[in-house]
Amino acid sequence: MLGELVKIFPRYEFEKLEKQHQSNHYTKYYTGWQQLITLLYGQISGHDSLRGIQTSLGVHSQKWYHLGLTDIKRSTLSDAMKNRPHQIYEGLFYKLLDKCRSVTPDHKFRFKNPLFSMDATVIDLCLSVFPWAEFRQRKGAIKLHYLYDHRGSLPAFMVMTDGKQSDIRVARSQEKLDFYLLPDSIISFDRAYIDFKWLYTLDQRRVCFVTRSKANIQYRIIGQHQPIRHKLVTRDEKIELVVEQTRVKYPKVLRLVCYTDPDTGKEYEFITNNMKLAASTIAAIYQSRWQIELFFKWIKQNLKIKSFLGTSQNAVLTQIWVAMCYYLLLSYIKFQTKYRHSLQELTRMIAAVVMEQRLLIDILSLKEHSLKKVRNPVLQLALF
């Protein structure tokens, strides 16, 4: 099974990344590709120590040849985690992302505009073990910043920073946003990203944004935008900023939509530069931002990104990038094979047979409780 999964990775592109970063310089036998297979196995099997990975893989040493492995030593893997540049796995992540986009379904809304959400999540670290990740006086952390693509529920790009880095500073500094946020794209984010100078740059690039309004934003109503046709929409108005400092940063007219949550009765105010979509759709776009929170919850519960195989910054980043590559691998399998169940069930099924000679197509057609009854190998599945 592990051999089938590895075939999905674009090995030619990976080898180009290895040459680009000279990742196999002074390496006798343990290449970046072997490290990828080892870490992928650790992700699937759930091992959170180098010794556990070494011992577990050692039981299956007769299958190493077919996987492209030669030998696994804890000290060798430890040195690779510390010294081999994590950028090769970051590059692999984006190569896999391109592959996933070729098979992902569209988002649930009727409009055809690309839809994104942006947010960040914090992973706590022990400051005494990870001194480079200083966050507070006695606490360490790293922050993962994501641009989440609602088409396929995929992370469009990811940036890792120290825990102190503010969300808006990362958003302002990322040139990759310009690559993904093409004209007519729509992006939603929470109030931590409200910087009217940055919002105006989005507007100038014809990118629509939807966010919650802050209580201290001062504005003047200049007219009703559209007649209210939805019972949960209480206001749909055109506004302009009145404080001179903020008006200089964003001189154009904005749209204010007030929406009442049917479950709680609480009223929410949204600010957007989109003047075409219905007010109820604007509210639904912001509500869909909750999907990125579910994504954060899923990766923390199902990927090995909270306990690490090394203490250096490079080791931590390497493990996180490989974990995200595994997430894309699961997504690709789900979309390509039209697997009807959840990614969580898929991870459990793959973990149950990861080192057995099983075909992916057979495994996907089984119920989880039936995996132990399968014994006969079948023909290989071509996922390409």
Side-chain angles (χ1 to χ4, degrees), residues 232-243:
L232 296 177
V233 176
T234 57
R235 295 167 62 190
D236 186 5
E237 298 165 330
K238 293 180 180 180
I239 63 171
E240 61 180 11
L241 303 174
V242 296
V243 177

Side-chain angles (χ1 to χ4, degrees), residues 160-208:
M160 285 178 271
T161 67
D162 60 79
K164 296 179 180 180
Q165 194 73 266
S166 68
D167 297 351
I168 183 58
R169 182 177 297 181
V170 172
R172 287 194 303 248
S173 63
Q174 290 305 310
E175 295 181 357
K176 287 183 179 179
L177 274 179
D178 298 341
F179 177 78
Y180 292 104
L181 297 180
L182 299 176
D184 298 325
S185 297
I186 300 175
I187 180 172
S188 64
F189 38 76
D190 61 24
R191 289 174 285 196
Y193 290 89
I194 293 184
D195 175 349
F196 284 107
K197 185 176 181 179
W198 180 63
L199 296 182
Y200 190 60
T201 63
L202 294 178
D203 183 81
Q204 292 299 292
R205 288 167 30 214
R206 291 173 44 212
V207 174
C208 296

Side-chain angles (χ1 to χ4, degrees), residues 240-272:
E240 61 180 11
L241 303 174
V242 296
V243 177
E244 186 64 24
Q245 291 179 340
T246 55
R247 189 171 181 178
V248 168
K249 295 177 181 178
Y250 200 101
K252 294 182 65 175
V253 172
L254 287 165
R255 182 182 179 187
L256 179 72
V257 173
C258 294
Y259 180 85
T260 303
D261 189 307
D263 298 322
T264 64
K266 184 177 179 180
E267 187 175 76
Y268 295 91
E269 289 188 351
F270 306 111
I271 290 179
T272 181

Side-chain angles (χ1 to χ4, degrees), residues 123-125 299-301 303-308 319:
I123 296 178
D124 295 326
L125 299 173
I299 62 174
K300 287 182 178 181
Q301 289 180 344
L303 301 180
K304 304 298 292 184
I305 60 171
K306 296 175 70 176
S307 58
F308 294 96
Q319 185 171 334

Side-chain angles (χ1 to χ4, degrees), residues 1 4-5 333 336-339 346 349 358-366 378-383:
M1 173 60 69
E4 283 197 37
L5 298 178
I333 292 172
Q336 181 75 347
T337 61
K338 295 180 173 56
Y339 183 65
L346 180 59
M349 297 176 76
R358 297 287 183 267
L359 271 197
L360 191 55
I361 192 64
D362 266 0
I363 298 305
L364 295 179
S365 64
L366 292 175
V378 286
L379 298 175
Q380 285 191 337
L381 166 70
L383 281 174

